[in-house]
Amino acid sequence: MKRVALLGATGSIGRQAIEIVVAHPELELCAAASGSTPLDDVAAPLKQVGGDLTELLERAQPDVVLNAVVGFAGVHATLWALEHGVDLALANKESLVAAGELALAARLRGGGRILPVDSEHSALFQCLEGREPEQVDTLVLTGSGGPFRGRRREELETVGPEQALAHPTWRMGPKITIDSATLANKGLEVIEAHFLFGVPYDRIEVVIQPTSIVHSLVRFRDGAALAHLGYPDMRVPISYALTYPQRAETPLRPLDLASLALEFAEPDTETFPMLSLARSAGEEGGGAPCVYNAANEVAVGAFLAGRLPFLAIPDVVHETLETVGSGSVRDLDELLTLDRQARACAEGALTAAAGGRG
Ligand SMILES: NC(=O)c1ccc[n+]([C@@H]2O[C@H](COP(=O)([O-])OP(=O)(O)OC[C@H]3O[C@@H](n4cnc5c(N)ncnc54)[C@H](OP(=O)(O)O)[C@@H]3O)[C@@H](O)[C@H]2O)c1
C-alpha cells in the first residue's frame, strides 16, 4: 500500500490523480490540499484548504507526495519531500525551476526520489532509465507549439485570454495553458530537465510536434534516438509516477499507429521569446530561473486579468531579469526574498509594458 499526499487536489492534475488513486487499490489518499477551493468531494483522512503544506505533510507522513500545486507556492512541499527522503511525484515544475540548486542539495541530504509528472520529463525519465549519462548525446523536449503556432507577432497584438486558453492538444489549468501559448512552458521545462537529469543546457533541445504524440526523446551517442509516444493524456505520466516502477494499467486505448502523421518543426523563438529568455536565465544560473519564474507568474496573472497584452508578457520578464539580476539563493530564506523582489519589480514593469504597447 502506497500512501499518497495530493497537493493541488482541486486542479487539472489533482482531479486526474484522484481518478488514478481510486482505480488502484494499492494506492491510498492519505492527505489532500487545495489553495482555496473546498475539498468536500475529496475522500481523504487529512484535508487542508490553504495554510502551510509542510505541516500537512508532517502530519500525513506519506510514502509519496504528488505536488500538483500551480506556481512558486509549491516550493516548500518540494523541498520537504526531498529533505525527508519521501518520493516526490512532481507536476509543479515551477518549484524545481525556481529552487533547482536547493532542491538538488535537499535530495542529496534526504535521499528523496523525483518522479516527474510533466509528460515530457516522464518520457525522458523512461527513455533514460538504466542508461549511463555518458551514453546520452542530447535530450529533445517536444512541444505542441500552443494555440498560436504558425502565427506572426503582428497577428498576436490583440489576442486575449480566451484565444490563448484554447490549447490544441492538452486540457490544463489556466496558468500552464498561457505558458504553453507563450512557450514559457517549454522554457520552464528546459530548466526543469537540466535540474532533473543533470544535462547542460547546450544539450537540451526543443522541437515542435504539433499533435503531442511524441512526448520527448533522447538522442544517444551511437546515433540512436529513443522516443516516448502516446496520446496526450496526463493520466499516463501521473499513473507512472504513482505506481513506479510497476507501470499499472490505465483506461487509455492503444495508439492507432496507422492514423498518425508525425511532423516536427523548429520553435519560432522570435515570435515567442519566452523560450530563449528561459534558456539564458537557466544558463546564467543562481537566482535567475527564480526571477524568470516570478516575473512570468506576475505577467501571466496580469494577462489573464486583462491588464497586459499577450506580446508584453516577455517584456515584463525581460525587464525584471535585467533589473533584479540573478541575486543570491544560498538558502530558502534568500530564495523567498528574491522571489518577492522579482514579483515587486515585475508589478512595476507591468505598467510600462502595458503602456508602451498602447
Ligand atoms: N494540467 C496539466 O495537464 C499539467 C501538465 C504538466 C504539468 N502541469 C503542472 O502541474 C501543476 C498544476 O497544474 P494544473 O494545470 O493542475 O493547475 P490548476 O488546474 O490551476 O490547479 C492548481 C492547483 O493548485 C492549488 N493551489 C493554487 N495555489 C495554491 C497555494 N498557494 N497553496 C496550495 N494549493 C494551491 C489549486 O487550489 P485551488 O483550486 O484552491 O485554487 C489547485 O488545486 C503546474 O505546476 C503545472 O505546470 C500541469
Side-chain angles (χ1 to χ4, degrees):
M1 184 64 85
K2 237 190 229 182
R3 301 172 71 253
V4 180
L6 174 58
L7 312 178
T10 48
S12 157
I13 294 287
R15 291 290 172 192
Q16 295 176 81
I18 290 172
E19 203 185 305
I20 298 293
V21 171
V22 167
H24 293 293
E26 70 278 16
L27 297 175
E28 177 193 325
L29 203 58
C30 66
S34 70
S36 57
T37 310
L39 292 164
D40 302 339
D41 61 338
V42 178
L46 291 173
K47 294 195 272 192
Q48 183 172 296
V49 178
D52 184 342
L53 293 172
T54 61
E55 254 174 47
L56 178 72
L57 295 174
E58 286 290 344
R59 277 189 286 139
Q61 293 297 317
D63 299 312
V64 53
V65 174
L66 171 44
N67 189 350
V69 170
V70 62
F72 186 78
V75 77
H76 301 87
T78 284
L79 295 176
W80 185 94
L82 296 173
E83 198 76 65
H84 286 76
V86 173
D87 278 356
L88 172 65
L90 184 67
N92 175 249
K93 63 189 87 184
E94 295 93 342
S95 58
L96 193 61
V97 167
E101 302 287 350
L102 297 182
L104 296 189
R107 182 173 67 174
L108 208 60
R109 286 191 298 269
R113 266 191 312 198
I114 310 181
L115 302 164
V117 170
D118 225 350
S119 62
E120 294 79 359
H121 303 73
S122 176
L124 292 172
F125 182 84
Q126 293 174 54
C127 293
L128 284 167
E129 234 186 338
R131 329 230 179 228
E132 298 302 323
E134 62 270 17
Q135 299 174 359
V136 175
D137 177 30
T138 52
L139 307 181
V140 186
L141 287 161
T142 53
S144 69
F148 303 139
R149 180 178 58 85
R151 305 259 200 113
R152 295 186 309 275
R153 278 184 76 75
E154 53 273 23
E155 294 173 273
L156 299 177
E157 266 168 15
T158 55
V159 294
E162 201 181 315
Q163 292 137 297
L165 285 170
H167 196 277
T169 53
W170 297 97
R171 297 284 155 266
M172 311 179 284
K175 193 263 178 181
I176 183 175
T177 307
I178 301 306
D179 285 349
S180 302
T182 61
L183 292 199
N185 185 47
K186 229 27 74 180
L188 294 169
E189 287 178 6
V190 167
I191 303 175
E192 182 186 9
H194 168 76
F195 285 119
L196 274 176
F197 305 115
V199 172
Y201 287 100
D202 60 357
R203 294 203 282 124
I204 305 174
E205 297 170 39
V206 171
V207 70
I208 301 302
Q209 199 278 301
T211 53
S212 302
I213 295 292
V214 180
H215 295 144
S216 276
L217 39 96
V218 179
R219 295 185 206 276
F220 291 93
R221 64 181 173 189
D222 60 358
L226 295 190
H228 180 290
L229 274 65
Y231 290 119
D233 190 314
M234 288 306 294
R235 289 174 301 178
V236 177
I238 294 170
S239 172
Y240 186 82
L242 290 183
T243 67
Y244 180 82
Q246 302 303 330
R247 197 188 277 280
E249 269 181 50
T250 72
L252 261 81
R253 65 196 158 109
L255 255 192
D256 176 7
L257 291 166
S259 72
L260 300 180
L262 300 180
E263 288 172 13
F264 296 89
E266 289 291 325
D268 175 357
T269 50
E270 205 175 301
T271 307
F272 304 102
M274 288 300 285
L275 178 55
S276 326
L277 281 172
R279 203 178 264 286
S280 340
E283 279 164 355
E284 185 172 349
C290 167
V291 174
Y292 173 92
N293 177 67
N296 181 53
E297 286 189 27
V298 169
V300 169
F303 170 70
L304 283 170
R307 290 165 54 214
L308 189 73
F310 182 78
L311 289 178
I313 295 174
D315 297 344
V316 170
V317 175
H318 182 252
E319 169 70 22
T320 309
L321 280 164
E322 290 285 300
T323 311
V324 178
S326 58
S328 168
V329 282
R330 283 167 304 187
D331 55 29
L332 181 56
D333 279 345
E334 284 191 349
L335 184 79
L336 297 175
T337 304
L338 185 64
D339 174 72
R340 271 196 302 272
Q341 217 183 329
R343 278 167 203 274
C345 177
E347 285 291 346
L350 285 180
T351 323
R357 294 188 172 273

